[in-house]
Structure formats: C-alpha cells, structure tokens
Amino acid sequence: MLLRLRVTPTANPLTSCAHLTHSHSLPQWFSILRHAIAVSDLPLGKRAHARILTSGHHPDRFLTNNLITMYAKCGSLSSARKLFDTTPHANRDLVTWNAILAAHADADADADATHDGFNLFRLLRQSVVSTTRHTLAPVLKMCLLSGSPSASDSLHGYALKIGLQWDVFVAGALVNIYAKFGRVREARLLFDGMAVRDVVLWNVIIKAYVDSCLHDEAFLLFSHFHRTGLRPDHVTLRTLARVGKIQKTVSESQFKQLRAYATKLFLYDDDSDVILWNKTLSRCLQRGKAWEAVDCFEDMINSGVACDSLTFVVMLSVVSSLNCLEMGKQIHGIVVRSGLDHVVHVGNSLINMYVKAGCVSHARLVFGLMNEVDLISWNTVISGCALSGLEECSVSMFVDLLHSGLLPDQFTIASVLRACSSLEEDCYVAAQIHACAMKVGVVLDSFVSTALIDVYSKSGKMEEAEFLFENQDEFDLASWNAMMHGYIVSGAFPKALRLYMLIHESGESADHITLANAAKAAEGLVGLEEGKQIHAVVVKRRFNLDLFVISGVLDMYLKCGEMESAHRVFSEIPLPDDVAWTTMISGCLENGQEEHALFTYHQMRLCRVQPDEYTFATLVKACSLLTALEQGRQIHANIVKLNCASDPFVMTSLVDMYAKCGNIEDAISLFRRMNTTRIASWNAMIVGLAQHGNAEEALYFFEEMKSRGVTPDRVTFIGVLSACSHSGLVTETYENFYSMQKSYGIAPETEHYSCLVDALSRAGRIQEAEKVISSMPFEASASMYRTLLNACRVQADRGTGKRVAEKLLALEPSDSASYVLLSNVYAAANQWENVASARNMMRKVNVKKDPGFSWIDLKNKVHLFVAGDRSHEETDVIYNKVEDVMKRIREEGYVPDTEFALLDVEEEDKETSLYYHSEKLAIAYGLVKTPPSTILRVIKNLRVCGDCHNAIKYISKVFKRDVILRDANRFHHFRSGICSCGDYW
C-alpha cells in the first residue's frame, strides 16, 4: 500500500502552506496565519501549524503566540489551550498569557471557558510576569460574560492595586461592566473620575441611565455630552429616541430638539435605519461579539425599526453560535410575523439554527413549509438528520432530493453516507450512493471518498475500502483513521497498526482518533511492547490529557494484563468519566482483581461519577466471583436508586449473583418480577437451581420456559443436565441429552457429555460411564476422568480406578487432584503401600496438593481457615467452640467417619484430625459471631468430605441453624439435619 502525501495546489494561501519546506524561513508562516485569522479559516491554520512541526522548525515564542491567537480567532479554544499547555513555562511571556486569556474571553457562550480563564489569570498573578492593560482586557470581558459582580469588584481592586484604575481602557471597561450589571452609581463614579472620555463611553453611561428608567438624568447627560465638543453619533440618538418613541416619558419639546439635532448632523433617516443596524449586527457577528449583537438587536426592536431578511439571517447565525434554542424560537416568531419566513435564505438560516440546536423536528417542519428550497436547504436538513440519529430519514430525504430534479453536491453525498454507516443495509445503500457520486462527478472529493471508506470499512467491505483508499490523490488523515477503524472492526489488527506506523514514519501528524485506533490495534494483538511505544507517543504529544485517547491506552494495558501500568495510567487521568471508570472496573475483573474492582467502584462514587448499566453488570459479576452477598445487595440497592433496574442485562447479572452467593430464594423472587423472554435470564435461573441441587424446580423452569416460546440453547441444556446429574436422575439425564440433539439440533459438547458421565458415575454405573467417554467424537476432558475416578473410589473399583488414573495423569501430569484421587482410591481399600506410592509419584514430578480452605464473610470481612489452622486472632475461642459443637452433635448421634481421614494412623487420631477440617472451623466461628437463627454461608475451594457433610447436618439440627455450604461442585443447603443434595454429591 503506497503512502501518498501530495497536496493539490490552489490559488489561495493553501498553496503556500502546501509548498513550504525546510528551506522556508519562519516569517513566511506569519502571512498565512494572518490570512487564516482574517477569514476565520481554521483548517488552513491547522495545516500551517502541522507544516511548521513537520518541516523541522520548532516554533519560537513569537510564532507560538501567533498560533495561539490564530486558534482563538478561528474559534478553536481547545487547540489554543492545548498549545499553551504544551509550551514550556520558560517560553511563555506576557504576550503568551494575554493571547490565551483572550482566547477564553472570545468563547463568550461557554461558561466553562470563562471559569478556566479566571483560573489562568490566578496562575498568571502567582508568576513573576507583570500584568498590563492588555492582560486585563480579556479578564474584564470574562467578568462581563460571567455575570458575576463579585468577580468585577475583585478585578477593580486588582486594577487599583497595580495603578491601572484610571487607565482609559481599564476604567472604560469597568464603567461598561457596572452599567451592564445595572450598578449605575458605581459606573457614574468611575465615569466622572476619568480624565479622557470618548463617544463610546458616553453612549455606555447614557444607555445605562435609559435602561434604569432614569430618563431625565439621561437627557441631562446628553446635554453635558454635547457641551464637551464631542459629536454624538447615531447610537446616542437612537438610545434617547427609544425613550421618546417607546417610553413616552419625556416632553414633546425634548424629543423635537433631539430630532432636530439628529437632522442637523445627518443622523436621522428612517429609511436607512435598517441598513445601519444590519451593519452593526454584522460587525458584532464577525468579531465574535455574539451577546453584543443580541443587545443591539434588542435595541433595534425597541427602537421600532423594521427588520429585513438580512437582519434575521445575521441574528439566526448569532443564535446558532450561542446554541440558544429559546432565543431562536423567539426570533422565529418575529420572522413569521414579518412575513419573511418564506424567503429562501431566511428559511435556510432557520433550518440551520434548529439543526445546530439539536431540534431536527422543527428544522424539518420549517423545510416542509418553505415555498421555495435550494440545494443548501436540502443539504442542511439531510445533514441534520444524519447527525441526529435519524439515518433512515436522511436517506429518504436524499431520495426526495433526486426526485426533485436537483443534483446533489459533495456535501450532500458526504452527509447521506454518514447516515448509511449506521443503517443495517448500509452497504447496499452506500453502493447506490457511490454510483450517484460517480455520476455527478464528486467521488474524488476528499469528504466523499473518506465517507465511502468509512461506510465500507464499517460494513466489513474492506476490499472496496482499500480500493478507494489506494486511489486517493492526497493524504487525508480522516480516511486513514477510517481505514484503521475498519481493520480493527474486521479483526485485521496488524494492518491497522501498519497504517499507524506509515503515518508516523511519513512525518504526518496523527490526531487523537489515530492514536486511539493505534492503541485499540495493539490491544487486539495483545501487543504490550507496541502498546508501550504508542503510549510513549501519546505522552510526548500531550495527548495523555485527552480522555478519549488515554482511555484507549488504559484499555490496552488491561487487555494485555499489565495491571501495574493500567493502575498508573488511570491514576494520572485528571477527571475520568464514567467510561474510564467502567473500563478500569471491568479490567480489574478480567484480570482476577475482583476486590479491587469493588474498591474502584467506591472511589467512583466518591468522585460523584454516575455508573451506567454496564458498570453495574460488571460489579454484580465481581460480587458473584467473590460470593460477596452483602456487597451484592448494596450494589442492587444502588441499581434501584439510580433507575437501572429495568435493564435486562443488569437484572440477569443480579439473578446469577444471588444464585452463586447461595441465596437462591432471592434469585427466584427477582426472576419472577422480571417477566422476561430473554434466554440468558432463563439460563441464569436454571443453572443456578442446578448448582443448588434443586433438580425438580430446574426442570419445572425448563418446561415453563419452553411453554413461553423461548427456545433453549446449549447453555440451557448444560443447566438441565447438571441438575439431573446432581440429583441422581439418570433417566432424565439421558432423555434431555437425546432431546437436545433430536428436538433442537444442538450437537453435544464436552460440557454436556460431562454431565452425562457425572450422572452415571454418581449412580455407580462406572462401566457405562466409561463407554460414554470412549464413544465421544472428541477427546475426553480431565474433569470427566476425575469424576469417573472419584466414582471408582466410592465404589472401591481399584482396577478401573487405576486405568482411569493412568489416562488422567497422561492428560494432566502436574495436576495434584489426579494423584490425590488415586491415593484416595487405595486408602479407601486400606492399601497404604499404594497410597505411599502415589504420594511418592507426586514428589518425583514435583507436584504439590492444593491446600483445602474455607472462608466465611461476616460484616464484609472475610475469615479464611485451613485444616488445623491456629493463625486466627480468636483461635482459642474457635477451638473451644469446635469442641463444644462436636460434643453436642455426638450426643445427638454423630459418629466420625474416619474413612475421610485417609491416614495410616490410630483411629483416635483420625477422629481428632476430622474435628478441625476447615469448614468446621468456619462454621464454629460463625456460630460464635452471629445471632441465633442467622444463616451461615461458608465457601470451600474443594469438595466437602463425607464426614464434614454428615457433621454439618447434625449441626443444623442441634443448633437450629441453616447452613449454606458452597464447595467446588455445588451448593449444599443444610436445614434441620437434612441436606438439599439428598446425600448425593
């Protein structure tokens, strides 16, 4: 794939930008930047900046200041701020600070920008740089924009402190601020103290008196103004004329004098008024003074001047820049009353305003009511539908455009292609639009070709996307990003990474989308080294402050299992959003750090970030893995509180959590309230019941599911077969095993055969189970052989046991469970020499038995025990309780089953060793620490032994306690001396 980096020359400053190379000196860039500022051409400015960086020049302080100013004047505060933040402190001078403060002040509709601007000013005051009137100018503007009198007072005090209070500019700005806030007294005090006052300042103070209904004082000021020798302008006269025309609070003689004076100065001309007002409005819009334009328009309306179509076009552009829907609706009402709503360019401006405000329904209504529409009308509404998620509507309107006889242009095609990328039949529709683009001759346009690449790559048509990509005439970063994304979606991660390397090697500047895609490609390859290199570029280019990019880097480290780096990256994110928090929580879960996932969630809540449904589903899964019932209940409460209880994925996770934490009753109750037809929810319930040994209820749910029209899948049958095998229902196991294939066409997998082998083994049908294993179409798993070997122990079938053990050891020679089971087979038959031989085999291959341990969760604290454990801080209390428990249950009829001691020692020692098995220690501690009637929930990492199982039945009866024990295979519910498994496990 060839890398094309040509830039087509044109007859404008873009040509200069395209041909600047290493031989050009820096001053040549200034003319380009000045032109970009003059015409508000942000793309030109960005390309100039990119060429400066790629040409080998490092911007000096003067050039950096010009770049910041360019970004600010072209409306890209984020780019200006990023450049300022990456500029070393040593390279910043007062002009740099003034430029970035001006950038924040020019973003006059953004409250966050104003707040950040004030913070920058505080940082400036803490530095050694002294401030001037040019520093205070943007800060004064931010005071006005913030609407904060206290901020104005503070800045007034600061100006007084540094000796700038009576500076003409500073004092004049303060007068304007106080006047706008209605604080006429403070404005007048400053005004009277100023040595120099121009016409603009007189107009400000007069307008302040008029707005405060102090009309007589306003006319007195006008008289004083006239006597100064300065000449009042049309703004002065309009302000006072508004009092005479609208307020009717001045004498007729005063109004006549005012009109005569205006006529004398050639300022009174009713017919030309609208032209002058339009010029003023346009000047405010061009200079980015949106709110001044609003004030001017209000004055125009109050003065009784009739608006024309240009007035509304300008004001609707102002409203679009402010994104103020309510103001736009008010102006729309004035447009309708004036009868200008059918003028094409006014209608187009209305459509554009509604689209930018996110109100596409109103835009379509305006479009439908227009008597005449042009291509701009169609393009605006088609683009608006595409951007607002109304993709089908966008395509439909495109078809209507073709039927109208108008030919689409590149903007139409690019917009409708953007809509296609989200449609189910996107590829078919995109192919037709592709043909249309070729017919009208715009297929080579960069916007169109990039949109085509994007839609083809998203639909998996990479050959078509590659063809378009390779035939592009010039480098276009958006199309490279689209190709990278397409490769990632289709799983071609090496190709995506290769594209990133080509961009990097060519010297072209990657943007945040490129780097995020590169991190995603490294994640897909589980390429930690490549990911680290991309992270280094991200940090070097200061994209680590971009939440989108750094979240991709974080996800890469998590997928690669590099938790230390992931924690460090996450801790360095200044303000992580809900996506970043959820990514971290999910990553902890995927890497076995369930407890840290819950800790991260608590930190998330402390930071006041709201979790979403995916966050909750992940957290509930963490509770399931930890069997942390109490924490699961707390998260369930948060789910209800934050209105996420209607999400089916979250509720299914909760059902699964309650089942896996031993509370099958709550799982059933919650499931019944869901009334769902999702197969995943039914599977969670059936599998949960199977784990708890509730075979009859699991089969009942299975039948109910089918009666509701829900088709079972492979997971459903794993649950059904498991339930049957756990309860010794061999016939039912066979029936469902064959029904799965015959009725639903589901081919049995390893898990299904395992359930059948397990059912036969538990029933003592060892030879039949062995035949099932030999008849399978694939190799038996180690778990099948372990199940069969355990059955050999129970049935004392040493011959089959030895044969099965040999196959098991061949499969997993390093698995300790295989050796332990074999030694148990021999121990059950009192063949201690063979037991020793099996243990010696373990030592020779350096295999150690996994230690058995149990734990109990009390008051959100886990207490873990191993057999004969004396490390607990309350060991004496626990062992005393064990002795008491054993004494009382022996009185009830319990007899220790020394077969499970499996030690070649005296019988009395065998009994003693059984007393201190880990599950008995955990239960004893639970009896000590919990009130009577509290359910005890204990988890064991291995299967519970027969003696402990028998002892716990007696404990539940003697102490009148329900005990729920989860071992490696299933749940056991002990109540009144009976276990839910029916002694069949």
Side-chain angles (χ1 to χ4, degrees):
M1 190 177 296
L2 298 176
L3 183 66
R4 294 173 173 80
L5 299 173
R6 287 205 310 276
V7 179
T8 305
T10 58
N12 59 34
L14 296 178
T15 308
S16 303
C17 183
H19 292 290
L20 279 171
T21 63
H22 292 276
S23 62
H24 288 73
S25 57
L26 288 177
Q28 291 180 275
W29 294 110
F30 298 134
S31 62
I32 295 175
L33 294 177
R34 283 194 295 271
H35 182 81
I37 292 171
V39 298
S40 297
D41 191 342
L42 179 60
L44 171 62
K46 283 187 172 182
R47 287 197 290 274
H49 190 185
R51 291 285 178 178
I52 292 170
L53 296 175
T54 57
S55 64
H57 291 300
H58 294 285
D60 59 11
R61 182 183 297 169
F62 184 59
L63 185 53
T64 298
N65 295 344
N66 277 269
L67 283 166
I68 292 174
T69 302
M70 179 275 296
Y71 280 123
K73 296 298 184 183
C74 292
S76 181
L77 173 61
S78 60
S79 299
R81 183 60 187 270
K82 186 176 293 183
L83 179 57
F84 175 82
D85 290 339
T86 55
T87 302
H89 289 279
N91 290 350
R92 297 175 184 170
D93 59 6
L94 185 58
V95 178
T96 316
W97 284 94
N98 291 349
I100 193 62
L101 286 171
H104 281 271
D106 286 340
D108 53 6
D110 192 339
D112 291 335
T114 303
H115 177 74
D116 291 342
F118 283 137
N119 288 336
L120 277 174
F121 181 63
R122 293 188 190 98
L123 291 175
L124 172 60
R125 289 179 59 186
Q126 295 168 6
S127 69
V128 295
V129 180
S130 59
T131 54
T132 67
R133 59 187 292 189
H134 301 293
T135 313
L136 295 185
V139 185
L140 286 163
K141 181 179 178 181
M142 287 189 284
C143 289
L144 185 60
L145 294 172
S146 69
S148 172
S150 59
S152 309
D153 292 337
S154 299
L155 193 61
H156 190 172
Y158 177 71
L160 180 63
K161 180 180 178 181
I162 62 175
L164 288 177
Q165 179 188 11
W166 298 113
D167 177 87
V168 174
F169 179 83
V170 174
L174 284 168
V175 169
N176 182 50
I177 290 171
Y178 286 132
K180 288 287 173 62
F181 289 166
R183 297 168 65 178
V184 180
R185 181 175 175 275
E186 289 92 335
R188 183 62 184 270
L189 285 173
L190 266 176
F191 177 82
D192 289 342
M194 292 179 65
V196 179
R197 295 171 293 196
D198 59 9
V199 175
V200 174
L201 200 58
W202 278 100
N203 287 342
V204 167
I205 196 68
I206 290 172
K207 186 175 186 300
Y209 275 92
V210 170
D211 289 342
S212 300
C213 297
L214 301 172
H215 304 136
D216 291 336
E217 289 85 346
F219 273 91
L220 288 173
L221 269 173
F222 174 69
S223 299
H224 184 38
F225 179 17
H226 180 55
R227 289 195 297 272
T228 62
L230 294 173
R231 178 178 174 176
D233 61 7
H234 64 280
V235 175
T236 321
L237 298 177
R238 282 202 186 96
T239 302
L240 292 170
R242 177 157 55 91
V243 177
K245 285 184 177 180
I246 308 300
Q247 305 294 341
K248 303 295 184 183
T249 57
V250 296
S251 66
E252 184 66 26
S253 60
Q254 284 179 312
F255 183 68
K256 285 181 178 179
Q257 291 174 7
L258 181 66
R259 180 166 182 169
Y261 182 78
T263 303
K264 179 181 178 181
L265 297 178
F266 304 102
L267 292 173
Y268 195 89
D269 186 357
D270 286 331
D271 295 333
S272 64
D273 252 9
V274 68
I275 298 173
L276 293 173
W277 282 103
N278 286 348
K279 286 182 178 179
T280 305
L281 290 172
S282 299
R283 195 178 303 116
C284 290
L285 178 62
Q286 290 168 0
R287 294 176 179 176
K289 316 290 185 183
W291 287 111
E292 289 186 19
V294 173
D295 290 340
C296 183
F297 180 68
E298 184 181 351
D299 290 341
M300 180 180 181
I301 296 296
N302 291 334
S303 299
V305 178
C307 303
D308 63 9
S309 61
L310 180 59
T311 313
F312 293 122
V313 169
V314 173
M315 281 311 300
L316 288 168
S317 297
V318 169
V319 171
S320 296
S321 69
L322 294 174
N323 195 22
C324 184
L325 179 60
E326 289 306 314
M327 187 188 301
K329 288 180 177 179
Q330 293 173 11
I331 293 174
H332 189 181
I334 300 173
V335 169
V336 172
R337 287 197 297 273
S338 66
L340 294 173
D341 52 321
H342 294 299
V343 177
V344 174
H345 53 276
V346 175
N348 290 346
S349 297
L350 281 167
I351 294 170
N352 180 61
M353 181 272 296
Y354 280 123
V355 164
K356 289 187 175 177
C359 197
V360 181
S361 58
H362 283 61
R364 292 172 62 190
L365 185 61
V366 171
F367 178 83
L369 293 173
M370 290 173 65
N371 292 336
E372 180 185 353
V373 294
D374 57 13
L375 188 57
I376 295 174
S377 317
W378 285 99
N379 284 352
T380 307
V381 76
I382 288 171
S383 174
C385 289
L387 292 172
S388 301
L390 302 173
E391 294 86 4
E392 292 184 0
C393 177
S394 180
V395 175
S396 175
M397 294 208 71
F398 175 72
V399 174
D400 291 341
L401 165 64
L402 296 177
H403 289 161
S404 72
L406 285 173
L407 284 178
D409 61 9
Q410 65 269 34
F411 302 109
T412 327
I413 300 290
S415 296
V416 76
L417 284 170
R418 187 183 300 114
C420 286
S421 63
S422 301
L423 291 174
E424 290 184 3
E425 298 179 355
D426 53 353
C427 195
Y428 172 73
V429 178
Q432 293 181 309
I433 296 171
H434 188 176
C436 181
M438 295 178 68
K439 182 178 179 181
V440 297
V442 297
V443 75
L444 296 178
D445 179 83
S446 60
F447 290 104
V448 174
S449 62
T450 299
L452 281 167
I453 290 169
D454 182 59
V455 72
Y456 280 132
S457 61
K458 283 182 178 176
S459 58
K461 300 289 184 180
M462 293 308 298
E463 289 185 9
E464 289 85 343
E466 285 174 348
F467 176 80
L468 287 164
F469 180 69
E470 291 171 6
N471 285 279
Q472 283 190 321
D473 289 332
E474 59 184 41
F475 177 82
D476 182 75
L477 184 60
S479 62
W480 285 70
N481 288 340
M483 280 301 298
M484 287 181 68
H485 180 72
Y487 283 134
I488 290 168
V489 170
S490 60
F493 302 111
K495 288 186 176 181
L497 211 54
R498 175 61 180 160
L499 282 185
Y500 168 71
M501 291 170 63
L502 287 172
I503 294 173
H504 187 68
E505 291 167 3
S506 71
E508 291 290 340
S509 292
D511 64 5
H512 65 291
I513 298 175
T514 320
L515 291 169
N517 280 337
K520 191 73 176 175
E523 172 196 322
L525 289 171
V526 195
L528 182 59
E529 289 306 313
E530 293 89 344
K532 285 181 176 179
Q533 293 173 16
I534 293 164
H535 186 194
V537 175
V538 167
V539 173
K540 182 179 179 181
R541 298 199 51 209
R542 302 284 291 177
F543 276 110
N544 55 322
L545 301 176
D546 188 302
L547 190 57
F548 176 65
V549 176
I550 203 63
S551 293
V553 172
L554 172 65
D555 204 26
M556 178 273 298
Y557 278 125
L558 291 169
K559 290 295 190 298
C560 292
E562 181 59 33
M563 293 304 294
E564 184 178 348
S565 297
H567 286 304
R568 184 173 63 252
V569 168
F570 184 74
S571 66
E572 292 171 355
I573 300 176
L575 291 171
D577 60 1
D578 60 328
V579 175
W581 281 102
T582 303
T583 299
M584 192 66 219
I585 291 169
S586 178
C588 289
L589 190 64
E590 290 173 4
N591 288 278
Q593 296 185 3
E594 294 86 3
E595 292 183 359
H596 197 84
L598 295 174
F599 171 78
T600 304
Y601 168 66
H602 293 307
Q603 295 299 115
M604 177 184 183
R605 296 308 307 273
L606 289 174
C607 293
R608 300 183 182 279
V609 178
Q610 291 285 63
D612 60 10
E613 291 82 358
Y614 183 75
T615 317
F616 280 128
T618 306
L619 290 164
V620 171
K621 185 178 179 181
C623 294
S624 298
L625 295 172
L626 289 170
T627 61
L629 180 60
E630 289 308 313
Q631 293 192 64
R633 281 174 169 160
Q634 292 169 15
I635 291 170
H636 188 181
N638 288 336
I639 288 168
V640 173
K641 183 178 179 181
L642 296 176
N643 296 320
C644 293
S646 59
D647 184 82
F649 296 100
V650 174
M651 298 308 287
T652 299
S653 298
L654 282 170
V655 169
D656 183 64
M657 182 273 295
Y658 279 119
K660 287 181 177 175
C661 289
N663 195 335
I664 194 65
E665 293 82 8
D666 282 358
I668 295 172
S669 176
L670 184 62
F671 178 82
R672 287 300 187 193
R673 294 200 299 273
M674 289 169 62
N675 191 28
T676 181
T677 57
R678 292 184 69 250
I679 184 63
S681 304
W682 286 94
N683 287 348
M685 196 66 253
I686 292 171
V687 171
L689 288 165
Q691 289 177 324
H692 284 263
N694 297 353
E696 290 185 6
E697 200 157 4
L699 293 174
Y700 173 78
F701 269 81
F702 179 53
E703 293 301 324
E704 184 180 352
M705 181 191 83
K706 291 188 292 183
S707 69
R708 293 195 183 188
V710 182
T711 304
D713 60 10
R714 55 175 295 278
V715 179
T716 316
F717 279 101
I718 291 173
V720 170
L721 294 172
S722 177
C724 295
S725 68
H726 282 173
S727 300
L729 304 176
V730 178
T731 303
E732 288 82 353
T733 306
Y734 266 121
E735 288 175 355
N736 285 291
F737 185 83
Y738 291 120
S739 170
M740 173 180 70
Q741 304 170 67
K742 184 178 179 181
S743 302
Y744 299 98
I746 301 172
E749 299 176 11
T750 304
E751 295 87 350
H752 304 105
Y753 277 104
S754 293
C755 293
L756 181 56
V757 170
D758 185 62
L760 294 169
S761 299
R762 291 174 188 273
R765 295 157 70 167
I766 295 175
Q767 281 70 37
E768 196 173 341
E770 201 172 9
K771 284 181 182 178
V772 169
I773 291 176
S774 62
S775 67
M776 292 191 309
F778 34 73
E779 290 294 324
S781 65
S783 64
M784 290 186 192
Y785 284 126
R786 275 194 291 270
T787 299
L788 192 55
L789 186 56
N790 188 61
C792 291
R793 178 190 67 81
V794 174
Q795 300 296 324
D797 188 342
R798 294 186 298 279
T800 307
K802 185 177 180 181
R803 186 170 62 252
V804 171
E806 288 174 354
K807 294 180 180 179
L808 181 56
L809 292 174
L811 278 176
E812 293 186 349
S814 59
D815 181 32
S816 62
S818 306
Y819 296 94
V820 172
L821 277 172
L822 179 59
S823 65
N824 288 349
V825 171
Y826 292 130
N830 288 321
Q831 294 183 358
W832 301 108
E833 290 181 4
N834 290 334
V835 171
S837 175
R839 299 287 176 168
N840 287 332
M841 287 172 61
M842 286 181 67
R843 283 191 288 271
K844 284 181 181 179
V845 293
N846 197 27
V847 175
K848 294 183 179 179
K849 176 183 178 296
D850 293 331
F853 53 85
S854 302
W855 68 92
I856 186 169
D857 189 346
L858 300 175
K859 296 181 180 178
N860 282 337
K861 183 177 180 182
V862 174
H863 300 267
L864 188 141
F865 302 90
V866 297
D869 189 6
R870 289 187 176 272
S871 62
H872 197 279
E873 58 187 8
E874 297 183 72
T875 293
D876 292 340
V877 175
I878 295 169
Y879 273 71
N880 287 337
K881 186 64 178 178
V882 169
E883 295 292 339
D884 176 58
V885 168
M886 301 311 294
K887 178 183 176 183
R888 292 180 61 179
I889 65 174
R890 290 189 76 148
E891 292 172 354
E892 189 67 25
Y894 161 73
V895 176
D897 190 347
T898 56
E899 176 189 349
F900 292 94
L902 300 179
L903 297 170
D904 191 12
V905 295
E906 296 298 325
E907 196 71 17
E908 184 178 343
D909 293 331
K910 287 184 179 182
E911 292 185 12
T912 304
S913 70
L914 291 172
Y915 285 6
Y916 306 117
H917 277 193
S918 61
E919 51 266 59
K920 292 191 180 83
L921 295 176
I923 290 171
Y925 189 63
L927 290 171
V928 171
K929 288 296 181 180
T930 59
S933 76
T934 302
I935 298 175
L936 299 180
R937 302 177 191 275
V938 177
I939 300 98
K940 183 177 174 65
N941 69 321
L942 303 177
R943 292 180 66 174
V944 61
C945 77
D947 177 72
C948 286
H949 190 271
N950 188 35
I952 298 171
K953 288 198 296 183
Y954 279 98
I955 291 171
S956 69
K957 180 179 180 181
V958 171
F959 291 89
K960 295 181 174 56
R961 291 288 196 105
D962 283 10
V963 180
I964 299 176
L965 173 69
R966 195 185 90 173
D967 68 5
N969 278 12
R970 61 177 297 163
F971 281 93
H972 300 266
H973 291 239
F974 298 92
R975 174 180 292 174
S976 302
I978 299 172
C979 179
S980 60
C981 73
D983 297 337
Y984 190 90
W985 83 100

